[in-house]
Each structure stands twice: as structure tokens, then as C-alpha cells.
Amino acid sequence: MKCIVIDDERIAREGLESFISEFDFLSNAGVFSNAHLALEKLKTETIDLIFLDIEMPLLNGLEFAKLITDKPAMIIFTTAYSEYALKGYKVNAVDYLLKPIFFDDFKSAVLKAKKMYDLMYQQELTSKPLFFKENGVTIKVSPIQIMYIKSMQNYIEIYTENNKKSIIHQTLKSIADQLPEENFLQIHRSYLVNTKYITQIDGFRLCLKNTVLPIARNRKSKVMERFLTL
């Protein structure tokens, strides 16, 4: 997640920078001493997460937050305000960090933001249709409707929930790269399945509604681990 820090206090900025560097899923895209400079940044770059101070001269954090409601960025307030006071403001925020900020509180806030980010990203991938050529005709397939995919060397068979089959000139790996990892699992070198359709596992056999597929021995433990968390 690309993040920025906006705080007029140098020590606060440095502290947040240090905390950000501890998380490999956070990318520091800029540190700003006032909100006006950050507004210019948001005009040219998409930012996922903003650590935003409230008490700042010229343009405070709450005013800034109201100016960027059209942006996809999530906000974590860094503030000396108490929780009950912050709740009184009609500004959406993932969380708030009460100064002085401690690492454990920071960690809890960014993990909450990451969970929200992953959910949004997963929903986007799941709802975004895929387009393929089949016999010279372009077809549209929604990932959420795909039940499983079977590999046949340089071709794949896509089976949807309505039992429709499409044969596409593509490899299993290439289509796997287009699908959300949270929803799809490779159970065999020849099979990729949508986990929402898994009904049961019997030994090395995986059941998807009325279909039974083989599970490779070297993938059995991973498949079981994933199945138990569904």
C-alpha cells in the first residue's frame, strides 16, 4: 500500500516514517509538513493510505479529509484528540492514533487498513470480467462464476457454475495470474478451482457440487489447510 504522512511536527513525521519502514506491505510515497503540499501529491498520484495529523496551521487534517472524499485513500488520524472527540466529526477514517504513538497501536491500525485494502482489492478482481477468444469469438467470463479450470497443455477448459464449458488457447499459469489468489486454488498441475464451490474433500478427491477432481499428493496439505479456513 502506498502511503503518505502529513504532520507539521518533525519528530512525529520521523517517528511514523520509522514505523512504516517496519512493514513490507507499506510503501512510503512521501512525507509532508503541511496539507497543501499533500494535496498537490494527490493530484498526480494514487495513494492508498494517509497518516494524517489534525492540528495543523493553514489547513487542518479534518478540513483536508473533507477535500479528498473523491479519492480512494484510507485515512488514519494521528492526533492528540481523545477518541470520543474524534467520533464527533463526520469524517470517515480507518482508525486514529493518539499521540504519543506507540508501535503496537500503529501496528494494529495498519493491519486494519491492510485488511480493508485486501478486501477492496479482492472484490475488484472478483467482479472484473475476463475476456477470451473462443473459435474467433470474444467471450466474457466473470471470475465469480468460474467453478474450475482444467489444463490441456496449451489450452484450458473453463467450467462455470451453469456447467458451461469454454475452450481457450491459454495456459493454466497465465489465467491463474489474472485471478484473485484469495478465491482460487491450484489443487493439481492440471486443475485450478474456485474455493467457494468446494463442498468436501475425501482423501485425494475434491468435490465441487456434482464434480469430483483429483488432488495432487504434494498439494494435499495446502488444500486441506485452505479448506479448513473456508
Side-chain angles (χ1 to χ4, degrees):
M1 294 187 296
K2 292 174 68 174
C3 62
I4 60 173
V5 173
I6 309 173
D7 199 305
D8 62 325
E9 298 178 357
R10 179 182 58 81
I11 293 177
R13 294 194 300 270
E14 291 176 352
L16 288 169
E17 278 191 284
S18 175
F19 287 166
I20 289 169
S21 68
E22 295 294 320
F23 296 87
D24 57 6
F25 60 81
L26 292 179
S27 172
N28 189 348
V31 178
F32 304 91
S33 58
N34 70 71
H36 286 292
L37 293 174
L39 280 176
E40 293 302 312
K41 177 76 169 179
L42 291 177
K43 289 179 182 178
T44 60
E45 193 170 345
T46 299
I47 300 300
D48 302 307
L49 179 62
I50 301 173
F51 296 95
L52 179 62
D53 185 22
I54 289 182
E55 294 257 4
M56 291 185 292
L58 302 179
L59 181 65
N60 70 40
L62 293 165
E63 293 167 339
F64 174 87
K66 292 174 183 177
L67 290 175
I68 63 165
T69 54
D70 61 328
K71 305 293 183 183
M74 297 177 287
I75 294 174
I76 293 178
F77 281 113
T78 58
T79 175
Y81 279 67
S82 63
E83 181 180 7
Y84 74 86
L86 188 60
K87 284 182 177 178
Y89 293 100
K90 297 186 181 299
V91 176
N92 290 327
V94 174
D95 208 343
Y96 78 98
L97 293 169
L98 193 62
K99 294 179 178 179
I101 299 169
F102 297 98
F103 182 76
D104 285 347
D105 295 328
F106 179 90
K107 179 179 179 181
S108 176
V110 297
L111 288 178
K112 183 188 297 185
K114 185 176 187 303
K115 186 174 182 179
M116 293 177 64
Y117 175 82
D118 288 344
L119 181 60
M120 289 186 291
Y121 183 67
Q122 176 184 340
Q123 289 174 339
E124 179 183 340
L125 285 176
T126 304
S127 60
K128 186 177 180 179
L130 302 177
F131 294 89
F132 304 104
K133 284 279 190 181
E134 183 182 24
N135 298 323
V137 178
T138 302
I139 63 172
K140 181 173 72 171
V141 179
S142 173
I144 201 170
Q145 295 178 325
I146 296 174
M147 191 158 61
Y148 71 96
I149 303 169
K150 179 181 178 180
S151 172
M152 301 187 303
Q153 295 183 338
N154 292 326
Y155 288 84
I156 56 173
E157 292 179 346
I158 299 176
Y159 292 83
T160 56
E161 60 184 353
N162 57 6
N163 291 321
K164 182 180 177 181
K165 178 177 73 172
S166 299
I167 300 177
I168 313 295
H169 186 218
Q170 194 168 337
T171 64
L172 192 65
K173 183 182 184 307
S174 65
I175 192 171
D177 291 339
Q178 300 175 59
L179 295 168
E181 291 183 18
E182 296 84 358
N183 300 92
F184 287 84
L185 175 66
Q186 188 163 357
I187 64 169
H188 187 280
R189 67 180 181 180
S190 299
Y191 292 99
L192 183 70
V193 303
N194 187 335
T195 57
K196 85 167 191 170
Y197 292 104
I198 300 176
T199 57
Q200 68 179 61
I201 293 176
D202 180 9
F204 289 91
R205 291 155 33 104
L206 181 142
C207 300
L208 298 168
K209 290 191 173 180
N210 298 324
T211 303
V212 178
L213 301 176
I215 302 173
R217 288 188 176 276
N218 62 341
R219 296 180 183 271
K220 177 65 182 295
S221 60
K222 184 175 181 179
V223 172
M224 280 301 302
E225 180 182 342
R226 184 72 168 276
F227 179 63
L228 293 173
T229 61
L230 294 177

